[in-house]
Every structure is written in C-alpha cells, then in structure tokens.
Amino acid sequence: MDRLEFFKDIESAVGRKEMLRVEQAVEFAERAHRNTKRLTGEDYVEHPLRSALTLAEWKLDADAIVACILHDTLEEKPQEYDSEIKEKFGKEVYFLVEGVTKLGKLEYQGRERYAESLRKLFIAMSSDVRVILIKLADRLDNVKTLHVFDKTKRTRIARETLEIYAPIANRLGMGEVRGQLEDLAFPVAMEREYNELRKMVKESFEDQQKYVKKIIPQIKKALEDAHVTVVNIHGRAKRFYSLFKKLREYNNDITRIHDLVAVRIIVPDIPSCYTALGVIHGRWTPLKGRIKDYIAQPKPNGYKSLHTDIFCLDKKIVEVQIRDPQMHEAAEFGIAAHWNYVESGKPAKGSTVTRRLEWISELAKWQKSVADNDVYIKGLKVDIFKNRIFVFTPKGDVIDLPENSTPVDFAYEIHSDLGNHMTAARINEKMSRLSTTLQNGDMVEVISDKKRKGPSHDWLAFVKTHRAQEAIATWLYKNS
Ligand code: MN
C-alpha cells in the first residue's frame, strides 16, 4: 500500500495534529511485524494498515485508529511491547490493543469455548465498544483473503463471521458492514446453497436490474417536476445472504420478493422524504399494507428510511426506499457514524450512542448470572442474533423485544410482578391470547389481577425472552 496515500486518508479523518502518533504507530507496527508475512505473501503490516483505513472511513477517533494499527503487535513479542505501547501511545490506546488481543480468535470450536469467547467479547464491548469496532475492521480484512486457508479453516472463519460478527454489526446498526461480511463469508461457509441460489436468481436479478435502470429516469423526472431535489437515485441490489434468508422464509418463491433490486432515493432532508413519498404515490399506486415509515418508527438498531412497494411501469412491483443523507450514512456505518459527535472517547449520558449501547451493558450484567453455557448461548441467540421488534405500551413507551415475542414476554420486560399477575392481554385494543405473536408497532395492554397467584407452567412453552423464562421458572421453583 502506498504510504503517502495512507497518511493522507488517515489525516483527513483525524486531523493533522494526531498525525505524529499515527506515523509513530506505523513505524512501530512495521518494526514489530518486520519478519512476518501473511499467507497471501504480502508483508504482515499491510493488514493492520488496511484495517485502520476502514476505521478512518467509519470516522473513528485517533485512539482507535492508532490501536488498530497496533492491534496484532502484542502477538509478536508481548512482554517487550507491552510497556512500550503504554509509554509511547498512552493508557487508552494500550487498553484497546490489549482488549482486541485478549479476544484472540473467537473460535467456533466446541460449545464450551464458543461460549467462553462470546462472554469475553461482550465484557470487552461493554467496557469500550471501540474494541469490537476494531475487531470488525480486522475481520472484514481477513474474510477478503479466505482463499489462502485450507478448507477446514476457511469454513470455520466464514461460519463464525456469519454467526457472530455479522449479527453484531447488525445490532450496532452497521448495515453496510454486515452486508459485506455476509457476502464474503456466505459462499465459503455454505458453498452448495450459495451456488444453488445464484443459479436460481440469476435471471430474475438481471431482469430486475434492467427494469430498475429503465424506471429510475421516470421516477427522477416525477420528483423534479414536483420540485423535489434529488441528491441521488440509484438501484440497490439485495445482498445475496439476506436474499437467501428471505427466500427460505418465502418457500423459495422468488416472485414474492419485491426488493431484489430496489430503487433508493436520497433527498436533502426529512420533509423532502415525505414529499417524495407523496409524489411517488400520486403517480404510481402503492401496494396495500407495504408502506413502512422507519423514520417515525426506526428499527431497533436505529435504521431509518421510508419504504414502499409500488406498481410501477408495466404494473410490475418494485420497492422504493427514501432517506436523507444523514440516514444514509447512519445505515451504512451505524454506531460508528455517530462516533464523531462524541467527545473524549466515551459517549455522553443519554446520547444516541449511549442509548444504542445500553443492551451491551445489560448483556454483560446478565451473562454474569448465567453459569450454564447452553442456557447462555440460547439466550444470546434470542437477544443478539435475532431480529428485534418495537412494541408500544398504551402510554406510548417503546419496548424492544426479540421477534416472535408474546404479550407475556412484554409484561415481564416491564416488570416481573406485572408478568406474574398477568391474566389477559389487549393487542391494538382487541382481547388476544397470551401466546399471540406480537408484530412490530403493536400496542399492548397487560391486564393483571393482584389475586392471581402466579404464572402458569404452560407459558414456558411459548415465551421467547430469557427474562420471562427466568422469572417464570424462578416463581414456579419458589412456589412448588
Ligand atoms: Mn488482525
């Protein structure tokens, strides 16, 4: 990599006055790795430098970038470099480098070690989320060169990328990063499924691509005629791995997927988003029930946009996504896009970043209380690795739950006492069964009776959250 280019890119992210430290870090890493090559044949140091560029793109601060440049040096000569890093680059950088090193490889080998690695990961994340951001940049660079490993090793790395890193990137709102990780890992982790999918969707994909190319100028013209400024309009092809997952849900019926290639429109601000939506609906009929306002009700990972399916040219259905430049950046970089508003490394109390990270400290607290690794992994699968929904209390408070949660999960999420005395539930003002699957945006009212003596054993069969499960089991145990 050209060093001058490298320094220029880093400087535009962190500013001139940090560059001395960055240059010292590069020098240090070059020295530490001078006798080490990657399997690709290149000098080892190229890897941390590329990862650091990724962090610069995510607009992370100088400490994180310096730590990233150094992130593999402790693996060379730990004792010697420990104190040198502390002295030269400060405690903060050392903490990050050590955090990344301690995580080591999150090996998906045997359940016990897998659970242990995950525990370590969330402890590190809860003390400083930059540790996982460095780890994500590191992983992103590593999955780009998977072909150099033998089959066993590259399959393992690809699988843990799909099962651990991509979901974490998603939970941090880093949609672009998640997509890149998944699309690099999917063909390696699931070779057969990937090849089958490619064959199956090839034609539909190409047709849809041509179609979107044809309609973009028409949509653009309609917007401009209505005096809506269009910052950018382009076709967005659905990523392969998310298409794979969606197709499985839809019984592999490709005709039911309307966002194979979607039209994405960037307009200057929020009012323009709604104006654009109005203009488009005035011209092309929207599909009933397919309008999603993720601006008024963002997804739990912070994603914002307007989505609508319209009958466009030749009455074909196409998905249109409308957002402003801030939403666009946030959707790509998630938590990292907010990082530059953060002073002194740690996000302020009550800030967007802090609120978006609350689940990490919750998780770190919870994992301390769970000794059984099987229970732990099961809980994690629901809490991190599943999609989340937003459900409302009658007062309009938002409760964030895993997909397929029930009113009982909702009640326990509010308070274990409320769950224990629950007798019935009203969903969107209709009396509903306690085992009903909640949908995003539902309003749930819990009806409880102090005279009720406790939860029912049957509830254990349908509750989804670890909180509800634990509370019910505890009550039953104490009262049996
Ligand atoms: Mn590395």
Side-chain angles (χ1 to χ4, degrees):
M1 185 191 319
D2 183 69
R3 292 289 187 273
L4 267 180
E5 282 293 313
F6 173 82
F7 286 124
K8 236 174 52 199
D9 289 347
I10 300 283
E11 187 180 327
S12 65
V14 300
R16 164 142 276 170
K17 67 178 202 304
E18 298 283 0
M19 287 313 286
L20 187 62
R21 279 204 310 156
V22 173
E23 281 163 33
Q24 280 176 334
V26 172
E27 206 180 285
F28 187 98
E30 273 173 340
R31 183 154 50 85
H33 297 304
R34 72 177 171 273
N35 295 320
T36 318
K37 294 254 184 225
R38 301 204 94 206
L39 282 178
T40 53
E42 63 176 354
D43 289 338
Y44 194 90
V45 74
E46 300 295 315
H47 156 69
L49 296 191
R50 270 195 306 268
S51 311
L53 278 180
T54 303
L55 288 189
E57 219 180 285
W58 297 349
K59 302 196 171 68
L60 255 80
D61 60 347
D63 277 343
I65 288 172
V66 167
C68 185
I69 295 170
L70 304 172
H71 83 266
D72 281 328
T73 57
L74 291 183
E75 305 222 322
E76 301 275 357
K77 278 183 198 155
Q79 294 86 352
E80 213 178 301
Y81 294 145
D82 249 26
S83 49
E84 206 178 332
I85 291 179
K86 252 182 260 175
E87 241 165 67
K88 270 204 173 118
F89 304 103
K91 271 202 312 224
E92 186 100 0
V93 167
Y94 177 75
F95 174 82
L96 293 171
V97 176
E98 202 209 10
V100 176
T101 309
K102 269 201 296 202
L103 288 180
K105 294 174 221 100
L106 262 180
E107 298 206 351
Y108 188 81
Q109 268 174 356
R111 249 179 135 62
E112 293 305 308
R113 288 195 43 201
Y114 176 54
E116 270 327 300
S117 309
L118 285 173
R119 283 173 193 266
K120 274 198 281 183
L121 176 72
F122 291 113
I123 290 169
M125 267 169 87
S126 67
S127 53
D128 194 323
V129 76
R130 287 175 297 180
V131 171
I132 187 67
L133 296 175
I134 296 171
K135 201 70 199 163
L136 286 172
D138 169 56
R139 176 51 59 116
L140 194 55
D141 191 55
N142 285 334
V143 284
K144 283 178 185 159
T145 52
L146 279 179
H147 61 273
V148 299
F149 299 115
D150 64 52
K151 192 164 176 171
T152 318
K153 186 162 184 194
R154 69 172 182 255
T155 311
R156 176 184 56 73
I157 297 177
R159 273 187 59 186
E160 72 191 22
T161 303
L162 287 183
E163 296 186 19
I164 304 172
Y165 291 100
I168 289 172
N170 182 45
R171 199 72 166 80
L172 293 171
M174 306 172 81
E176 178 59 26
V177 180
R178 166 208 176 178
Q180 285 177 19
L181 286 170
E182 286 180 343
D183 274 8
L184 288 161
F186 176 42
V188 179
M190 307 168 89
E191 211 179 323
R192 188 175 49 82
E193 289 88 341
Y194 170 77
N195 287 328
E196 278 171 12
L197 178 73
R198 268 191 59 159
K199 246 191 271 157
M200 181 165 82
V201 301
K202 193 168 176 282
E203 254 175 58
S204 328
F205 230 112
E206 284 166 4
D207 289 351
Q208 181 74 359
Q209 217 130 25
K210 274 188 221 141
Y211 177 73
V212 163
K213 239 194 194 148
K214 217 162 42 178
I215 59 175
I216 279 181
Q218 296 188 15
I219 296 178
K220 190 165 183 237
K221 182 158 189 307
L223 290 169
E224 283 169 352
D225 286 349
H227 307 291
V228 179
T229 308
V230 177
V231 178
N232 193 301
I233 178 166
H234 58 272
R236 190 282 287 138
K238 193 167 187 66
R239 289 190 176 268
F240 259 62
Y241 188 62
S242 62
L243 177 60
F244 170 71
K245 283 191 297 187
K246 196 163 182 179
L247 270 170
R248 265 200 313 206
E249 258 172 63
Y250 286 35
N251 288 324
N252 282 336
D253 181 357
I254 189 106
T255 61
R256 288 174 62 198
I257 308 241
H258 304 312
D259 63 344
L260 205 52
V261 184
V263 176
R264 182 174 287 157
I265 305 166
I266 320 270
V267 293
D269 47 32
I270 293 177
S272 313
C273 290
Y274 291 102
T275 312
L277 184 73
V279 171
I280 287 166
H281 284 172
R283 170 87 182 263
W284 296 284
T285 312
L287 226 76
K288 216 178 146 203
R290 299 289 303 167
I291 305 163
K292 291 176 200 137
D293 185 349
Y294 294 123
I295 296 178
Q297 291 183 3
K299 286 192 189 178
N301 69 3
Y303 178 83
K304 289 184 191 171
S305 271
L306 301 174
H307 288 193
T308 181
D309 288 354
I310 53 169
F311 292 100
C312 203
L313 185 68
D314 305 328
K315 291 276 170 274
K316 274 180 74 171
I317 299 167
V318 66
E319 183 179 292
V320 177
Q321 306 175 347
I322 307 167
R323 49 173 80 156
D324 73 10
Q326 283 79 24
M327 296 174 208
H328 188 54
E329 185 164 290
E332 306 240 315
F333 304 126
I335 202 77
H338 297 283
W339 204 260
N340 46 347
Y341 308 121
V342 175
E343 296 288 326
S344 75
K346 285 261 152 76
K349 260 211 157 120
S351 70
T352 318
V353 179
T354 308
R355 267 184 285 120
R356 297 257 301 266
L357 293 180
E358 260 162 19
W359 63 274
I360 301 175
S361 37
E362 284 270 303
L363 198 71
K365 259 188 268 159
W366 167 71
Q367 72 179 10
K368 268 193 226 147
S369 70
V370 185
D372 183 325
N373 278 340
D374 279 336
V375 176
Y376 172 63
I377 290 177
K378 231 174 110 195
L380 271 189
K381 282 212 165 120
V382 175
D383 273 19
I384 310 280
F385 303 141
K386 248 208 145 52
N387 288 327
R388 314 276 302 179
I389 53 168
F390 272 154
V391 181
F392 296 89
T393 70
K395 283 186 191 148
D397 290 332
V398 182
I399 307 289
D400 165 7
L401 289 167
E403 223 173 32
N404 301 325
S405 288
T406 65
V408 177
D409 293 295
F410 174 85
Y412 278 104
E413 206 60 26
I414 294 174
H415 201 282
S416 57
D417 229 30
L418 186 63
N420 286 341
H421 295 103
M422 177 169 200
T423 55
R426 233 177 251 133
I427 303 175
N428 304 325
E429 308 192 316
K430 263 206 267 317
M431 290 303 288
S432 307
R433 281 195 316 196
L434 292 183
S435 59
T436 311
T437 302
L438 296 175
Q439 305 296 326
N440 202 35
D442 277 348
M443 199 250 288
V444 184
E445 189 185 340
V446 174
I447 299 160
S448 65
D449 182 351
K450 279 278 161 216
K451 280 181 272 172
R452 185 187 169 101
K453 60 179 187 353
S456 153
H457 191 274
D458 303 340
W459 296 357
L460 284 172
F462 59 74
V463 292
K464 296 292 177 303
T465 60
H466 64 77
R467 200 178 284 215
Q469 237 140 23
E470 233 171 59
I472 297 167
T474 307
W475 193 95
L476 292 171
Y477 176 74
K478 280 189 186 153
N479 295 279
S480 61

